[in-house]
Each structure stands twice: as structure tokens, then as C-alpha cells.
Amino acid sequence: MKVIKLASADGAIIPVEQDIIEQSGTIRNILSDIGSSNTPIPVPNVSGPILTKVIDYCRHHRNDPSRRQPREPVYDETDSSETAIQRAISQMDDFDEEFCRVDQGTLFDLILAANFLDIQPLIDLVGFTVANKMKGKTVEEMRATFNVKNDFTPEEEERVRQENAWCEE
């Protein structure tokens, strides 16, 4: 099996089998453009530890051919939120659940890495995990969870709440 070297943002050189990393649309496109090379492919937006975790995800799902094809996100605008959630849950396995049991910062780094590397199933998985963390929380609880500063005046906040009262129903 052909081994590709990836160079992370922090300079780590990480070898990975080509069939594993080709789940990444970005890497697949680079390889189709440059062909075979011993030069590490730079992954400037992803740290070594996060890149290693992404590779672990790809390695676990290496035999799933549907993960090698470009595809649309799990969410479809015609779906009800329940349908989208059920579809996302049905695609998860025990590895995926354990994979997402990480701190919030790592989850966000994984979303950024999956987006940069164009690994849609991983974007879906981590996005679903973040959405589940938000489910059922008040605005104040979400601000606290995600460290979002409230920069609204009390009057502005009240106006926004009134305009979006339908969200609370």
C-alpha cells in the first residue's frame, strides 16, 4: 500500500496509507493534481494531534466505500429535524460515539480540520455532536457552554427575543 506523508501546521510529518487519506476530498484532489511524490503534503490548518485523530477516524472507516465519494451533508432542507437526526444516528457506530467524547476545543478543531480536508461524514458526525450539546439549552446556557459574550444591550436582547419568539415554541 502506498504511504503518503502529511505535514501538519505544527511541523509534524505523519505517514498514512493513501487509501485511508483519500477519504479527504482535499488530499484526493492534491494527489490527482501532483501525482505520486515523496514530498509531504502540507496541511497548514491542522495541528499534528488533530490530524492524527482525523486519520484514526479515516482508518476506522477505510472499508466503507460510501465515505470515498463526494456527498452532500446529512442534513437536507426538506427533512424535518427529527429525520435528519435519525439519519445521523443511524450512520454512527460505537467508534464514532467514543471518537466524539472529547473536550469542546477538540470538537471545534475537528470541525475545522474536517472542513479543510473535505471529509463530509466527519463534518456531519462532529456537527451532530455539537448540535446535541446545544439541544434543550437556553440562550444563556449556550453562551456559557461556548464562551460567547453577550454584547447586546438589554433593549436589543429583548427586541431580538420578541422577533424570534417562534423559536421558543
Side-chain angles (χ1 to χ4, degrees), residues 45-136:
N45 298 352
V46 184
S47 70
I50 294 298
L51 186 55
T52 299
K53 193 156 178 68
V54 169
I55 291 168
D56 290 344
Y57 172 86
C58 291
R59 184 169 284 121
H60 174 77
H61 291 291
R62 82 185 308 170
N63 294 321
D64 183 350
S66 69
R67 293 179 187 269
R68 298 186 182 290
Q69 305 302 318
R71 67 182 187 81
E72 293 301 312
V74 168
Y75 176 74
D76 180 333
E77 291 173 3
T78 62
D79 282 348
S80 69
S81 60
E82 279 303 310
T83 303
I85 289 168
Q86 290 307 315
R87 187 177 313 125
I89 290 170
S90 72
Q91 293 175 356
M92 290 176 68
D93 61 17
D94 290 342
F95 173 88
D96 292 337
E97 287 183 42
E98 188 60 34
F99 180 86
C100 288
R101 286 192 185 144
V102 294
D103 63 87
Q104 181 176 303
T106 300
L107 277 177
F108 288 124
D109 287 345
L110 285 168
I111 287 174
L112 294 173
N115 185 55
F116 177 76
L117 291 167
D118 188 18
I119 305 173
Q120 190 62 53
L122 183 54
I123 294 170
D124 293 342
L125 173 66
V126 181
F128 175 75
T129 301
V130 172
N132 267 343
K133 289 181 175 284
M134 294 170 50
K135 192 174 182 178

Side-chain angles (χ1 to χ4, degrees), residues 120-159:
Q120 190 62 53
L122 183 54
I123 294 170
D124 293 342
L125 173 66
V126 181
F128 175 75
T129 301
V130 172
N132 267 343
K133 289 181 175 284
M134 294 170 50
K135 192 174 182 178
K137 290 191 176 187
T138 66
V139 171
E140 291 77 19
E141 290 170 327
M142 283 191 262
R143 282 187 186 131
T145 300
F146 298 110
N147 298 316
V148 176
K149 181 183 172 204
N150 181 6
D151 56 358
F152 287 114
T153 65
E155 295 79 24
E156 289 172 325
E157 189 167 353
E158 183 56 34
R159 183 177 47 80

